[in-house]
Amino acid sequence: MRRALTPRWLALPSRFAVVSQPTARLVLALVSLVLLATLMAVSAPLGQPDTSLYAGIVEAVRHGGSYYAVAGDALRAGKYPLEPFTAFPLPTLAVVAGSLPGLAVTTMLYCLAAAVAVAWYARLTLALKTRAARTLAAVLLFAGLAPLLRTDLSNLPETWAGLLIALSLGVHRPGRWIDAVAFGLAATLICDAAVLYIVTMTGFAIRERRRDETLGWIAALGLLAIVLAFHAHAVAAIVTPLDIAVGTDAPAGTGSVVSAFASATMLDYAPLWVAGPVVGLALFGWTTWRDAIAPRVLGTILLAVLLIALLDRSGTSQSALLVSPLLLVGLVLALDGLRDLFAAALDTRRITVKRIIR
């Protein structure tokens, strides 16, 4: 077996530290294909979320409007579909934000982002051994979090859900899952699409045979199902046969995935032919970290990719906000993984057996 290289940035060797030469070459080929695929984003620009729609709903609720009546009128005025019931955002954020002053809502958003930054910087400090790597990790965290702090995004359910998912992942530890479940449940009660995170965490808990944690995540799914049942009933009461149903617009498709991730982070300032491969390398980085949380982050991101490519008909980067806070952190994890793969793929050592006759 080839001896593992000493990591440059990671505190422990990457997952590819001792892979065989054929395996290393196969993984590098797959990474190359992913990087080439990300260049499809060049021809797939996305629009910006309709923040005025959500801001209008919150303001109407703040002035005494009934959420479902207000939301229905806003969706009709914007010519958005009202069916199925998931076309209506869950009322949690609008009701809470509508009962508070705008400054209080913005302050809460900033505090939540700060909690995510603290939790993840503490975690990455243990995973990275050099000051340069930790500094880069902090910069990448900022690049993922800063776009969510725009005032016009504070009324989007995906903004809050993405931060809560990141915080849930940041506090999750083997045997310490209650806080993670609580934050994950809060994310789903604000944005039902965050169920992809609950499903990911449930799958890993089952795979690792963590019985209590599995029951915790299943309980969160059960509570969400109850909330969605009430939500569907409330929506049905105001939808008329003349209201538009989802089905006229095509899903975003795979070509729009990278555009969505770029638009949701500070990669929005870079040309797509640069942002695409950067997103691909960031995804690869999450495969290299030898920590139990890394595959959970990657699994959540990949389910978000499927959501954007196959189900999202909004034509915007909204769904990408669910995972954008942590996406770019993968870049700081990628260096040692690539170094290990190239070392294994280019290894030309041969074992020579000499027979000595006495």
Side-chain angles (χ1 to χ4, degrees):
M1 181 180 291
R2 186 177 61 86
R3 192 171 71 177
L5 298 175
T6 302
R8 292 285 178 84
W9 282 1
L10 294 175
L12 298 174
S14 77
R15 292 185 184 275
F16 304 112
V18 292
V19 296
S20 65
Q21 188 177 68
T23 300
R25 291 178 174 176
L26 175 61
V27 173
L28 284 174
L30 292 174
V31 171
S32 299
L33 288 175
V34 170
L35 295 180
L36 288 174
T38 59
L39 294 176
M40 293 172 60
V42 174
S43 59
L46 292 181
Q48 293 299 313
D50 187 357
T51 55
S52 61
L53 170 70
Y54 296 89
I57 293 174
V58 170
E59 282 302 314
V61 171
R62 183 172 286 140
H63 288 88
S66 171
Y67 170 75
Y68 285 100
V70 165
D73 291 342
L75 290 170
R76 291 186 187 99
K79 297 184 179 180
Y80 289 103
L82 276 74
E83 293 182 335
F85 69 92
T86 52
F88 276 71
L90 286 169
T92 313
L93 179 59
V95 171
V96 173
S99 64
L100 297 171
L103 180 60
V105 175
T106 302
T107 302
M108 290 171 59
L109 182 66
Y110 274 70
C111 289
L112 179 56
V116 172
V118 169
W120 269 99
Y121 186 73
R123 189 157 201 155
L124 292 168
T125 297
L126 299 176
L128 302 169
K129 65 181 183 179
T130 69
R131 182 177 297 179
R134 292 169 183 168
T135 301
L136 178 58
V139 171
L140 293 172
L141 266 174
F142 176 79
L145 290 171
L148 277 71
L149 301 181
R150 286 167 36 193
T151 305
D152 60 329
L153 294 184
S154 64
N155 294 312
L156 290 185
E158 289 83 356
T159 299
W160 293 83
L163 290 172
L164 286 166
I165 288 173
L167 184 56
S168 175
L169 287 164
V171 301
H172 183 274
R173 301 287 189 281
R176 293 176 54 191
W177 51 268
I178 295 178
D179 292 346
V181 171
F183 289 130
L185 176 61
T188 61
L189 295 181
I190 291 175
C191 176
D192 52 5
V195 70
L196 60 88
Y197 170 64
I198 304 291
V199 170
T200 300
M201 298 300 281
T202 303
F204 277 100
I206 293 173
R207 179 187 176 189
E208 297 173 1
R209 298 181 180 179
R210 301 183 185 276
R211 181 175 175 274
D212 291 344
E213 183 177 346
T214 299
L215 293 176
W217 291 112
I218 290 176
L221 284 172
L223 183 56
L224 175 63
I226 294 172
V227 170
L228 288 177
F230 281 104
H231 180 58
H233 178 74
V235 170
I238 67 164
V239 173
T240 69
L242 298 178
D243 289 320
I244 308 171
V246 171
T248 57
D249 296 327
T254 55
S256 295
V257 171
V258 177
S259 291
F261 285 140
S263 298
T265 65
M266 292 189 76
L267 287 176
D268 195 30
Y269 296 101
L272 281 176
W273 60 269
V274 172
V278 169
V279 169
L281 284 176
L283 287 173
F284 166 75
W286 284 109
T287 70
T288 68
W289 187 16
R290 198 186 293 270
D291 188 280
I293 202 62
R296 288 168 165 81
V297 175
L298 181 63
T300 304
I301 294 174
L302 292 179
L303 282 184
V305 168
L306 293 178
L307 172 66
I308 296 168
L310 303 180
L311 299 176
D312 190 358
R313 290 175 166 83
S314 68
T316 72
S317 59
Q318 241 172 282
S319 297
L321 296 173
L322 294 171
V323 292
S324 62
L326 298 180
L327 173 66
L328 296 181
V329 175
L331 290 172
V332 76
L333 308 172
L335 174 65
D336 283 314
L338 286 174
R339 179 168 167 260
D340 288 333
L341 286 174
F342 276 108
L346 301 176
D347 188 9
T348 57
R349 292 178 301 167
R350 297 290 183 268
I351 298 176
T352 303
V353 179
K354 292 185 178 181
R355 199 164 134 192
I356 300 176
I357 301 176
R358 299 190 182 185

